Amino acid sequence: MESSSSTNSNKNTGLKIALGILLALFIGTGFYTSKLYNEKKENEATLTKEKQLVMTDLNNMAKQYDIAIGENKVANQDLVDARNRIQGLMDSLKISQNSVNSLWSYKKKYLSLQEEMNVLLTENDKLKIENSLLATSLDSTNVKLAERNMFTDSLLVQNTELATVVENAAVLQTVGLKAFGVIERSSGKLIPTERARRSDKIRICYTVAKNTLVGAGDKELYVQVLDPKDNVLGANEQIQFGETVLNYSIVSKFNYENRNLNICEFVSPRGEFAEGRYTVNVFNKKELISSTEFTLE
């Protein structure tokens, strides 16, 4: 009887030990599984964050291309193609798997596109400068044509009374009036733009045409810049000529030496430039002698 009781006791003890071992293994397995699950979640969160950073960088790059493309009247095909490649990469990244290898591949492609963008935007800036120089050359040609027209007009005027010639012709006239928004770099370089939010100033350029009937010396003309709501930009000061009151943006002062004189002035806004059509008028005292319009988008 004692032997049977001892045997049962040993079996119970063995069973308890086995159950203890199984319980320990179960708890250990549960802890290890929980740890693996938490590490997986952390890795997924990190990869998701890194993926979003790459997406943000690509989106910022796309915006830079949009600005550069918008500044050109005729789209630069190289810029358009590069912008499309960025959009394609963004679309692919959105549906890509969150893995280290996949994310690293997209980062490498982003760095490659960044280098390409630096080259393309530099070339685009050079192209805009060349176009600006070409426009200046064309304006110079227009000035010469205007001189020739003025000479022809002067021959016709000779058939009128001398008093009328002196009264009407002995005044300064301007030709080639043009105005446009410019971006002013920290280096002082000016870049023409048609974008209102990119414009720092308005540049107004014109040529005071040669007129031998006007005496040499210090002269001044009044430049008036009107925004899309007909507000006078710049100084917005008044001057009266007889019964006429003129609101002007800036006084253009110069020394006239009986020859063509190129003049450029700048007008800055009190706030941001509004989008729309702007009007620029040049007055010789109360007389309007030149006018032009341009648009900022």
Side-chain angles (χ1 to χ4, degrees):
M1 293 291 293
E2 290 180 359
S3 176
S4 175
S5 176
S6 175
T7 300
N8 291 333
S9 176
N10 289 335
K11 288 181 178 181
N12 290 334
T13 301
L15 181 59
K16 290 179 180 179
I17 293 173
L19 289 174
I21 292 172
L22 289 174
L23 180 61
L25 288 174
F26 178 77
I27 294 173
T29 300
F31 176 76
Y32 181 70
T33 302
S34 176
K35 182 179 179 181
L36 289 178
Y37 177 78
N38 290 335
E39 288 180 352
K40 179 182 179 182
K41 287 296 183 182
E42 291 177 0
N43 289 337
E44 288 179 350
T46 300
L47 288 173
T48 300
K49 183 178 180 180
E50 291 292 330
K51 180 178 179 179
Q52 187 58 46
L53 290 175
V54 176
M55 184 68 74
T56 299
D57 289 338
L58 288 171
N59 189 54
N60 290 336
M61 189 186 299
K63 289 180 180 178
Q64 288 182 268
Y65 273 118
D66 288 338
I67 292 173
I69 293 170
E71 289 175 347
N72 292 286
K73 292 183 178 180
V74 179
N76 185 321
Q77 191 58 45
D78 289 339
L79 297 182
V80 174
D81 292 342
R83 175 64 174 83
N84 291 337
R85 283 194 291 275
I86 292 174
Q87 187 61 54
L89 189 61
M90 291 171 64
D91 293 340
S92 176
L93 180 58
K94 288 178 183 178
I95 61 175
S96 66
Q97 295 180 349
N98 287 351
S99 67
V100 174
N101 290 337
S102 175
L103 187 60
W104 175 241
S105 175
Y106 280 102
K107 283 186 176 181
K108 288 175 64 178
K109 292 178 182 177
Y110 162 74
L111 293 175
S112 176
L113 289 174
Q114 179 71 48
E115 292 179 0
E116 179 187 37
M117 184 184 72
N118 293 336
V119 173
L120 288 176
L121 292 187
T122 299
E123 292 177 351
N124 190 56
D125 285 342
K126 291 180 180 178
L127 181 60
K128 286 189 289 186
I129 293 173
E130 291 173 358
N131 289 338
S132 178
L133 292 175
L134 178 59
T136 301
S137 176
L138 291 174
D139 288 337
S140 176
T141 301
N142 290 335
V143 168
K144 292 179 180 179
L145 291 174
E147 277 190 67
R148 184 175 300 173
N149 291 336
M150 288 184 63
F151 176 75
T152 302
D153 292 343
S154 69
L155 293 178
L156 296 175
V157 169
Q158 290 178 11
N159 295 322
T160 65
E161 295 181 356
L162 180 60
T164 303
V165 174
V166 174
E167 180 181 357
N168 295 333
V171 293
L172 290 177
Q173 298 290 336
T174 61
V175 295
L177 175 63
K178 62 178 181 178
F180 47 89
V182 294
I183 302 169
E184 186 175 30
R185 300 296 190 195
S186 57
S187 63
K189 182 174 69 173
L190 300 174
I191 301 175
T193 182
E194 294 180 355
R195 302 294 292 273
R197 65 186 181 86
R198 294 270 291 166
S199 297
D200 297 316
K201 297 178 180 180
I202 291 176
R203 188 180 189 189
I204 303 105
C205 295
Y206 59 92
T207 298
V208 177
K210 176 182 177 181
N211 191 336
T212 57
L213 296 177
V214 178
D218 293 334
K219 308 290 181 182
E220 58 184 28
L221 298 174
Y222 297 88
V223 179
Q224 180 191 72
V225 181
L226 303 175
D227 70 8
K229 295 183 179 180
D230 288 333
N231 297 314
V232 179
L233 302 183
N236 191 17
E237 295 181 350
Q238 290 185 341
I239 189 169
Q240 187 163 355
F241 301 104
E243 296 180 357
T244 302
V245 176
L246 174 66
N247 285 68
Y248 61 87
S249 301
I250 190 172
V251 181
S252 188
K253 298 182 179 181
F254 53 91
N255 184 265
Y256 179 67
E257 298 179 347
N258 294 115
R259 60 186 181 187
N260 287 340
L261 180 63
N262 296 324
I263 294 177
C264 285
E265 304 285 2
F266 294 90
V267 172
S268 300
R270 295 181 180 177
E272 294 184 352
F273 284 109
E275 296 181 356
R277 183 171 295 278
Y278 288 71
T279 302
V280 178
N281 300 314
V282 179
F283 292 85
N284 187 346
K285 296 184 179 179
K286 67 178 180 179
E287 299 297 326
L288 176 64
I289 60 175
S290 190
S291 182
T292 189
E293 294 183 342
F294 69 100
T295 300
L296 292 180
E297 301 175 345

